[in-house]
Amino acid sequence: MNDVDRTIAPAEVGHLARAVLDAVGTVVVGKRDALELVLAGILAGGHVLLEDLPGLGKTLTARSFAQALGLDFRRLQFTPDLLPADVTGSFLYDQRNGDFTFRAGPVFTNLLLADEINRTPPKTQSALLEAMQEKQVSVEGVTYKLDEPFHVLATANPIEYEGTYPLPEAQLDRFLLRVSFGYPQHEEEWEVLRRRMSRRREEADIKAVVDAATLRAMQAALEDVVVEDSIGHYIVSLTAATREHPSVLVGASPRGSLALLLLARVRAVFGGRDYVVPEDVKDVAAPALAHRITLRPEMWLRRVDPAFVVGEVLEATPAPASGALPSYAAGGPRN
């Protein structure tokens, strides 16, 4: 069978995902929960926003996942003077042919690291919108398809950090989830230093665990993960509740419901199941919904966090009881 046509079961997706996480964990120390969320975003076919202070391993994480997943990787440093054409590419005049030829920008890759994306003005930030949603780029009226898989891992400094521009709501909504790393514990930070001394160089290389074709097969396998109607209604109720919360000006869009669905499927596979339970949805609710919520202005003065709003929504929304039986975990067909 051709690698492109390869099919795998959800159970194998879980095994491969753990192998990828183990490989990345040899370089990124002590952030297993955050790494699982990043990989979940990739497996779900989406893009991930890594928002945190500088120096906490965001860029290293993106590079490490590209190596472990066997993907073509490019890094684009966003700066205040970056132009949209620096992202998508542009037509240049070729003196030998006497005609204009298209020179592809860094967006033409499998995994794009958009480093410090909120250090560039919104016009350039928006150059990624078409690529992220439609997986294509339009330049001077000509449309170019991007090769699959295509994922953006964008790093961003907190908006209070000097020299940053808030991401437009439309672009924030294109990220499947937002992940923060936080400062490491004492022993974790010492382990970072110990490993650096051990390898005797700055760079840390990871051998590929899978390749692009296998990643596509893993993503396709997630379509076989069962989502009961009760779970689907629970997802919709959670998203709708963010729109009615008194602290919220604009709640999560239906794209937030879709993000919950896709990410919950991945969490189910991580848990050794081929069906979704309410706990899977709860685990990904804050990363999937918090960045899609716009708080009322007075809530910012009170330092209310959107993740806190999602927590209140989870507490107030009744979760269904799921009686599904996993086919491969139970050794037989579902009931």
Side-chain angles (χ1 to χ4, degrees), residues 320-331:
S322 177
L325 185 68
S327 58
Y328 62 81

Side-chain angles (χ1 to χ4, degrees), residues 66 71-76 104-114:
L71 300 179
D72 183 44
F73 173 74
R74 291 191 182 183
R75 175 181 180 271
L76 179 60
V107 75
F108 288 85
T109 187
N110 295 137
L111 185 63
L112 174 67
L113 170 59

Side-chain angles (χ1 to χ4, degrees), residues 51-286:
E51 185 177 271
D52 223 322
L53 294 168
L56 297 182
K58 302 184 297 295
T59 302
L60 178 62
T61 295
R63 184 181 297 109
S64 299
F65 269 114
Q67 292 176 344
L69 294 170
L71 300 179
D72 183 44
F73 173 74
R74 291 191 182 183
R75 175 181 180 271
L76 179 60
Q77 182 66 49
F78 280 73
T79 57
D81 59 349
L82 196 72
L83 300 176
D86 297 326
V87 179
T88 60
S90 59
F91 282 93
L92 298 177
Y93 184 72
D94 189 337
Q95 293 184 345
R96 290 176 297 181
N97 299 328
D99 199 1
F100 287 91
T101 58
F102 179 68
R103 185 179 68 178
V107 75
F108 288 85
T109 187
N110 295 137
L111 185 63
L112 174 67
L113 170 59
D115 209 0
E116 297 188 302
I117 189 173
N118 60 341
R119 282 200 179 278
T120 198
K123 182 177 180 179
T124 303
Q125 294 173 4
S126 299
L128 276 177
L129 281 176
E130 183 184 12
M132 292 172 66
Q133 184 64 25
E134 307 296 336
K135 298 187 178 180
Q136 64 182 29
V137 170
S138 297
V139 180
E140 299 293 338
V142 182
T143 299
Y144 300 90
K145 286 287 185 181
L146 301 176
D147 292 335
E148 293 189 4
F150 171 72
H151 301 281
V152 175
L153 294 188
T155 71
N157 296 315
I159 57 174
E160 297 87 357
Y161 203 75
E162 185 178 357
T164 59
Y165 299 83
L167 293 174
E169 287 80 1
Q171 186 166 359
L172 276 175
D173 207 29
R174 295 306 195 279
F175 287 102
L176 198 64
L177 74 166
R178 180 175 62 185
V179 181
S180 296
F181 280 27
Y183 286 110
Q185 299 296 323
H186 179 92
E187 290 302 322
E188 295 170 349
E189 192 164 353
W190 161 240
E191 181 65 14
V192 172
L193 303 183
R194 190 194 64 78
R195 293 186 186 184
R196 169 60 180 85
M197 291 186 293
S198 177
R199 64 176 178 264
R200 303 177 67 86
R201 58 192 178 92
E202 187 64 30
E203 297 79 13
D205 295 324
I206 297 176
K207 292 184 178 180
V209 177
V210 299
D211 56 18
T214 303
L215 175 59
R216 291 197 300 270
M218 293 169 70
Q219 293 170 334
L222 292 171
E223 296 298 328
D224 295 325
V225 177
V226 177
V227 181
E228 294 178 345
D229 288 350
S230 61
I231 301 294
H233 286 294
Y234 178 54
I235 288 173
V236 173
S237 296
L238 285 174
T239 308
T242 66
R243 305 165 197 160
E244 301 167 0
H245 194 281
S247 300
V248 173
L249 183 64
V250 180
S253 70
R255 194 177 280 121
S257 297
L258 182 60
L260 281 179
L261 170 69
L262 298 175
L263 292 169
R265 279 177 157 176
V266 182
R267 292 297 295 187
V269 170
F270 285 176
R273 287 173 279 102
D274 61 356
Y275 70 103
V276 174
V277 296
E279 287 68 25
D280 296 323
V281 180
K282 294 177 183 179
D283 286 345
V284 299

